[in-house]
Amino acid sequence: MSIKPIVYENGVCRMIDQRLLPSQEVWIDYDDYQGVAEAIRSMVVRGAPAIGVAAAFGAAFAARDIDAADFETFECRFADCCAVLGATRPTAVNLFWALERMQRVARENRTLPLVALKQRLLDEALDIAAEDERINRAMGQHGQVLFPERGTILTHCNAGALATGGYGTALGVIRAAVEAGKKIDVIADETRPFWQGARLTAWELAQDGIPVTLICDNMAGYLMQQGKINAVIVGADRISANGDVANKIGTYSVAVLAREHGIPFYVAAPLSTIDLTLTDGSQIPIEERDRREVTHCGGLQLAPEGIQVYNPAFDVTPARLVTAIITERGVASGDYVQQLARLKAVSFSF
Ligand code: MRU
């Protein structure tokens, strides 16, 4: 049973503070959209699908608290609140996807009395959260067949239950393989500078009893050279129409290493992560984060005072290095332009 990082109950959204894991398990309650926006911005909640789920609840809280006499006034104020939520982080497209979905549902239900419309929006946020876990389980089934019966899989960052509505994208495929009886060992990159691999991936796999070994990011090549890695799997924050993949900084280096060593490099991501409005990965906005993440660790200064720092939070792996993209509707490989468009066009609900 994997953790759910966001739980809704009686008008309150409870999120596990991922900044404190693994040493402390602290849950924080949010009951307004400003609080949810701050939770996303400050990384209490992180990971592309989880950010989308949180934003949907933020939008539902905003809707609930809008005082308006007619739909036009409501819609205008709702758009302002969604803009605040959308300004929190730029790279993960699931944030914008969820906010657009909430605004579309509002428009489609404009004839409802406002009280009923507000309830409809809360129901939509609950659907987005529950659907995300079902999507991850479907992705797990499509993806786990790509893994050997016995093998060691390297992952980078956290693409687990904590980064989603539950179960995980890349870690969901690993979970599904283990549930199918495969003997899987995981190698988790620590993922500097925010340590999502050490703090989150290692923690949640250990909680589930899935064998995991933590390595520093710069050890991956050595393990591959020694034949110790059978496959790599990562999540994604945004995938452009041609299959270029934006994911946590360091992912591109792992993909290059995997190609050099003939190791398959898989990406697991829901279709909401695929942004068909961008033709290639150069158009994906890359977040730059605080210099302190690079110069400090746990409050301890590790670099000279005033040193120049560059801290991009994501990089883009070109589609040619990606063996396959695993989605809830199937696996794309090769001609991503055609295949991703086809998968996005299929419509059935989860
Ligand atoms: O900066 P973060 O922690 O939000 O970045 C998270 C990642 O890059 C994940 O690998 C990605 O969102 C995939 S999540 C299923």
Side-chain angles (χ1 to χ4, degrees):
M1 245 308 262
S2 58
I3 190 168
K4 279 190 211 306
I6 305 168
V7 181
Y8 173 84
E9 215 176 72
N10 296 331
V12 170
C13 204
R14 176 163 277 217
M15 301 190 208
I16 190 162
D17 188 345
Q18 301 195 29
R19 300 168 305 182
L20 301 179
L21 288 172
S23 53
Q24 293 177 62
E25 287 180 43
V26 174
W27 291 80
I28 306 178
D29 288 352
Y30 297 95
D31 65 359
D32 60 24
Y33 82 94
Q34 295 95 334
V36 172
E38 183 52 24
I40 297 171
R41 198 201 56 73
S42 65
M43 309 278 277
V44 168
V45 61
R46 23 80 47 229
I51 292 173
V53 170
F57 281 116
F61 293 161
R64 180 199 59 200
D65 296 339
I66 288 170
D67 187 15
D70 54 70
F71 179 77
E72 285 64 35
T73 313
F74 171 87
E75 187 182 28
C76 188
R77 293 196 185 143
F78 190 47
D80 289 346
C81 300
C82 288
V84 170
L85 287 158
T88 49
R89 296 193 70 193
T91 304
V93 74
N94 309 62
L95 172 67
F96 311 104
W97 168 86
L99 293 170
E100 278 161 24
R101 177 163 159 180
M102 295 295 282
Q103 288 173 282
R104 178 171 44 78
V105 167
R107 283 193 301 278
E108 286 170 359
N109 292 279
R110 59 189 303 138
T111 54
L112 285 178
L114 281 177
V115 178
L117 175 62
K118 292 174 178 189
Q119 182 59 47
R120 176 70 190 78
L121 287 168
L122 175 60
D123 291 343
E124 191 67 18
L126 289 164
D127 277 355
I128 287 174
E131 183 187 284
D132 191 60
E133 182 169 349
R134 292 195 295 273
I135 282 171
N136 291 335
R137 288 184 184 274
M139 246 187 298
Q141 292 311 313
H142 289 302
Q144 68 86 8
V145 294
L146 301 169
F147 286 173
E149 286 302 316
R150 179 182 289 274
T152 301
I153 313 293
L154 183 138
T155 190
H156 188 76
C157 195
N158 178 257
L162 286 165
T164 64
Y167 201 68
T169 56
L171 295 195
V173 176
I174 289 170
R175 283 194 168 93
V178 171
E179 286 162 13
K182 296 189 175 182
K183 301 275 171 277
I184 302 292
D185 288 296
V186 178
I187 301 289
D189 281 351
E190 64 186 353
T191 317
R192 279 273 288 150
F194 214 72
W195 308 95
Q196 287 93 334
R199 290 165 23 166
L200 308 178
T201 300
W203 179 78
E204 69 166 87
L205 290 178
Q207 292 251 319
D208 279 10
I210 297 175
V212 55
T213 302
L214 180 66
I215 61 167
C216 299
D217 296 331
N218 53 7
M219 297 172 183
Y222 180 61
L223 269 74
M224 290 184 187
Q225 194 180 43
Q226 291 189 316
K228 290 188 172 161
I229 308 290
N230 300 103
V232 175
I233 190 161
V234 296
D237 290 86
R238 197 185 296 223
I239 300 174
S240 55
N242 70 337
D244 291 348
V245 174
N247 192 49
K248 181 52 55 196
I249 191 74
T251 301
Y252 170 55
S253 316
V254 175
V256 171
L257 283 169
R259 174 58 54 95
E260 167 68 16
H261 294 93
I263 296 166
F265 180 90
Y266 300 119
V267 174
L271 289 160
S272 54
T273 302
I274 296 168
D275 184 351
L276 293 183
T277 68
L278 305 184
T279 49
D280 66 65
S282 67
Q283 296 158 0
I284 299 175
I286 300 295
E287 177 181 10
E288 283 182 39
R289 295 186 56 83
D290 196 302
R291 52 176 279 115
R292 236 183 115 85
E293 289 178 3
V294 177
T295 56
H296 286 66
C297 182
L300 182 70
Q301 184 171 331
L302 301 169
E305 190 67 41
I307 194 78
Q308 196 165 306
V309 167
Y310 178 45
N311 185 16
F314 302 93
D315 59 26
V316 178
T317 298
R320 66 188 152 75
L321 298 179
V322 178
T323 310
I325 297 176
I326 301 154
T327 77
E328 66 271 35
R329 288 187 196 139
V331 176
S333 184
D335 181 358
Y336 288 115
V337 173
Q338 204 227 327
Q339 292 190 35
L340 295 179
R342 183 181 51 81
L343 286 170
K344 283 276 268 191
V346 180
S347 87
F348 57 84
S349 54
F350 273 85

